[in-house]
Amino acid sequence: MIAVTNRKLCDGDFLEQIRYLASTDIEAIILREKDLTETEYERLAADVLAVCAERNKKCILHSYIGVARRLGCPAVHLPLAALLANREALADFIHIGTSVHSIEEARRAEAAGATCLIAGHIFDTDCKKGLPGRGLPFLRDVCAAVQLPVYAIGGVTQDNVEEVMTAGAVGGCMMSAAMRLGK
């Protein structure tokens, strides 16, 4: 599992939740926090990277390529449009993730140099209220269309991660559940 942050969903202190997540068996933490300015994000990212380094946990920075470079983080997750616009400038990153919502997007991301994909949203989720999940057949189709590791997002929990893996995903991402784990 990969934890995707959203500090607005966190019931307590955000960095304490990051410390907790970094102590679990999750694979990585994506510091999403899309509402922050680049300066605010960089400050928070420095703190989160320090926590992850203490626990030897992979941290993936979201959207801000310059912040990732300045902080020495080799892992970024970008919106597909940002990946496509910056594909030539990403060679120094080890991990280049992007989110996809169709087979066509998955193929475009792979051709643009993504190293992994997050496909969603798979199940109904409060984060996308009123928008039905795309379902396991969609996930199966995305996984079959590319040679990259695919993670599922959207309503994925410890209880249903096996279902997404059976559909071909290497794992799942959780946001709401991750921000409340251990509570």
Side-chain angles (χ1 to χ4, degrees), residues 91-139:
D92 54 329
F93 288 96
I94 295 168
H95 174 106
I96 304 165
T98 193
S99 297
V100 297
H101 306 93
S102 70
I103 293 170
E104 178 188 329
E105 286 182 355
R107 289 180 176 144
R108 288 175 63 206
E110 183 174 46
T115 61
C116 81
L117 305 177
I118 295 178
H121 70 280
I122 303 306
F123 302 112
D124 293 352
T125 174
D126 286 344
C127 293
K128 305 275 186 190
K129 249 195 188 355
L131 194 61
R134 289 181 171 85
L136 293 171
F138 160 78
L139 180 60

Side-chain angles (χ1 to χ4, degrees), residues 1 25 122-123 136 139-140 152 155-173:
M1 293 291 277
D25 63 353
I122 303 306
F123 302 112
L136 293 171
L139 180 60
R140 246 188 307 282
V156 178
T157 66
Q158 300 283 8
D159 295 332
N160 62 20
V161 72
E162 289 298 323
E163 290 179 61
V164 301
M165 292 173 73
T166 299
V170 296
C173 298

Side-chain angles (χ1 to χ4, degrees), residues 11-103:
D11 292 332
D13 180 78
F14 180 70
L15 282 178
E16 283 303 314
Q17 188 64 21
I18 296 298
R19 282 184 191 89
Y20 173 76
L21 290 170
S23 73
T24 69
D25 63 353
I26 62 163
E27 181 181 336
I29 297 171
I30 297 176
L31 182 64
R32 189 166 171 262
E33 308 313 318
K34 295 181 352 179
D35 65 313
L36 297 177
T37 66
E38 185 168 349
T39 302
E40 293 167 330
Y41 185 89
E42 186 165 358
R43 256 184 258 129
L44 181 60
D47 291 340
V48 171
L49 283 165
V51 169
C52 289
E54 286 171 14
R55 304 289 173 102
N56 200 28
K57 188 65 64 179
K58 180 178 181 179
C59 183
I60 303 165
L61 298 187
H62 195 286
S63 295
Y64 293 114
I65 298 166
V67 170
R69 278 205 181 93
R70 287 190 296 276
L71 296 177
C73 181
V76 291
H77 185 89
L78 304 171
L80 181 57
L83 169 64
L84 296 173
N86 293 287
R87 65 194 298 175
E88 304 301 321
L90 298 171
D92 54 329
F93 288 96
I94 295 168
H95 174 106
I96 304 165
T98 193
S99 297
V100 297
H101 306 93
S102 70
I103 293 170

